[in-house]
Amino acid sequence: MSKFWSPQVRELTPYVPGEQPRERLVKLNTNENPYPPAPGVEQALREFSVDHLRRYPDPESLALREALAREQGVAVEQVFVGNGSDEVLALAFQAFFRQSRPLLMPAISYSFYPVYCRLYDINYRTLALDDHWQVPLDALTADSGGVVFANPNAPTGHGHPQTAIARLLEHVSDRVVLVDEAYVDFGGESAVPLIDSYANLLVVGTFSKSRSLAGLRLGYAIGSRALIEGLERVKNSFNSYPIDSLASAAGIAALADRGHFEACRERVIASRERTRRRLDGLGFEVLPSQTNFLLARHARFDAAGLFIGLRERGILVRHFNSEALRDFLRISIGTDDEMDSLIEALEAICR
């Protein structure tokens, strides 16, 4: 611990991302898409002129925002983009949740949320999931300085329908409700159509999952003009150029190919359901999922031991070292061949 750190930095416990192994493994631990981006992305990268790199990118990322607005059916003024959805979330926490009242969030959700709160000195309160491992939307109507939750939730996988989000918003109108939709394209229902009816709704999304661009870092938010302006004020007080020209070109190309997006999405969903059935057959309890991962536990085998056994067989999944989740493995959905390898390894371990 350095004597030069500020007191706040001394108190931080940073977010720990999933392992990016250097050895060759079947990698099912960080919810990446198993399929490559749309072919147009590679073409856009090949045709990109390096001469563009000597100039700063458009600080407003207008071309990318216009493409996102068309794809989402909203006005360009309702779209904000950032360097991955993590940056968009960080800016949103700073812009909207530094309030006198605590921020409300599920006790089991994206573990970056409490990290942002500690970084920005935001008071927060967590609410337990219900008996079905679902986010209790009714409880999020309690008095607070804001609401944040992932829908579908990570790492539990359940998603609430748009009608349930609308009911929440009917009861919460005096503070921002941030819905993190990183996984919505794998079976969830987006809240974006509610934007025009609820000025306090902010929906955050990413290109990392369903668009296969995790290595590029592109995220976005959609909301009322007032909320987008709040994000822009914070962004322009921190980094005026978060989206580089190359990333913008790739993002636009990814959005242009709806057919590729739908095909990959459907393949992941089909593989997820096939894997769920096979895990059921091995005696696992598998939570229902509307994401590109499954959360599963076994009554007879310790999750930490299963994690080690899988790694010894060249397969990497995610095991969370927390009391609430220590019995579970989170398994990202890979190709069918990769999922076959997972099942074969589990059959050998569990027999």
Side-chain angles (χ1 to χ4, degrees):
M1 191 173 290
S2 173
K3 65 180 180 180
F4 300 110
W5 293 355
S6 67
Q8 186 184 29
V9 170
R10 289 176 181 271
E11 299 300 319
L12 287 178
T13 302
Y15 172 77
V16 180
E19 180 185 355
Q20 296 293 332
R22 288 172 173 80
E23 67 266 43
R24 291 183 63 85
L25 297 169
V26 175
K27 190 173 181 300
L28 305 175
N29 69 320
T30 50
N31 301 339
E32 294 144 331
N33 199 310
Y35 304 110
V41 172
E42 182 176 359
Q43 181 179 351
L45 296 179
R46 290 184 181 279
E47 295 177 355
F48 186 85
S49 172
V50 295
D51 186 59
H52 293 325
L53 297 181
R54 65 187 178 85
R55 297 188 183 276
Y56 287 109
D58 174 11
E60 296 183 356
S61 300
L62 183 59
L64 178 59
R65 288 170 53 229
E66 287 175 338
L68 264 168
R70 288 191 298 269
E71 198 266 342
Q72 294 286 341
V74 298
V76 68
E77 294 81 12
Q78 295 174 302
V79 179
F80 178 87
V81 291
N83 185 23
S85 62
D86 286 340
E87 181 183 73
V88 176
L89 288 167
L91 296 176
F93 272 61
Q94 212 171 14
F96 309 121
F97 297 144
R98 300 184 71 179
Q99 307 283 351
S100 58
R101 295 178 294 172
L103 173 65
L104 285 184
M105 66 180 75
I108 300 176
S109 192
Y110 187 26
S111 56
F112 224 140
Y113 300 155
V115 175
Y116 295 136
C117 289
R118 290 189 290 269
L119 178 62
Y120 298 130
D121 199 23
I122 297 169
N123 186 22
Y124 68 96
R125 185 157 61 92
T126 61
L127 300 170
L129 301 188
D130 66 20
D131 293 340
H132 301 287
W133 295 88
Q134 298 177 8
V135 175
L137 293 188
D138 291 344
L140 295 178
T141 61
D143 184 54
S144 72
V147 173
V148 60
F149 62 98
N151 193 59
N153 193 36
T156 55
H158 174 266
H160 288 283
Q162 187 185 115
T163 52
I165 307 298
R167 285 196 299 270
L168 170 66
L169 291 162
E170 288 294 331
H171 292 91
V172 181
S173 60
D174 62 340
R175 69 212 93 145
V176 171
V177 175
L178 191 159
V179 181
D180 183 354
E181 294 190 345
Y183 300 100
V184 74
D185 294 324
F186 300 106
E189 187 175 9
S190 178
V192 167
L194 302 174
I195 291 294
D196 287 336
S197 300
Y198 301 97
N200 62 323
L201 171 62
L202 187 73
V203 177
V204 174
T206 180
F207 284 67
S208 296
K209 313 300 183 185
S210 58
R211 303 286 177 180
S212 304
L213 292 177
L216 200 62
R217 313 311 300 133
L218 280 176
Y220 60 90
I222 299 175
S224 65
R225 181 57 202 155
L227 295 186
I228 299 304
E229 185 177 354
L231 289 172
E232 291 171 346
R233 289 172 66 87
V234 176
K235 185 265 288 187
N236 289 326
S237 301
F238 172 70
N239 179 11
S240 296
Y241 304 100
I243 305 299
D244 63 75
S245 302
L246 193 63
S248 179
I252 292 168
L255 291 169
D257 195 337
R258 185 76 189 183
H260 180 84
F261 163 77
E262 291 288 353
C264 288
R265 185 179 73 89
E266 290 170 5
R267 289 176 75 183
V268 169
I269 292 171
S271 297
R272 181 191 70 209
E273 293 307 300
R274 176 172 171 265
T275 302
R276 179 186 58 77
R277 292 190 295 270
R278 298 181 75 185
L279 289 171
D280 285 341
L282 290 174
F284 281 87
E285 175 193 357
V286 187
L287 298 190
S289 177
Q290 294 169 280
T291 66
N292 67 337
F293 60 82
L294 294 167
L295 194 68
R297 63 182 172 183
H298 202 287
R300 294 190 297 115
F301 295 94
D302 174 72
L306 290 173
F307 171 83
I308 293 170
L310 287 171
R311 175 122 197 188
E312 289 172 346
R313 289 164 173 80
I315 298 170
L316 183 60
V317 296
R318 190 81 185 264
H319 180 238
F320 296 95
N321 187 24
S322 67
E323 186 169 349
L325 296 171
R326 66 177 54 167
D327 294 334
F328 287 92
L329 296 177
R330 192 195 67 190
I331 302 167
S332 303
I333 303 303
T335 65
D336 282 340
D337 285 345
E338 289 172 332
M339 305 318 289
D340 287 344
S341 297
L342 168 79
I343 296 299
E344 290 167 7
L346 287 172
E347 287 173 341
I349 295 169
C350 296
R351 66 185 174 197

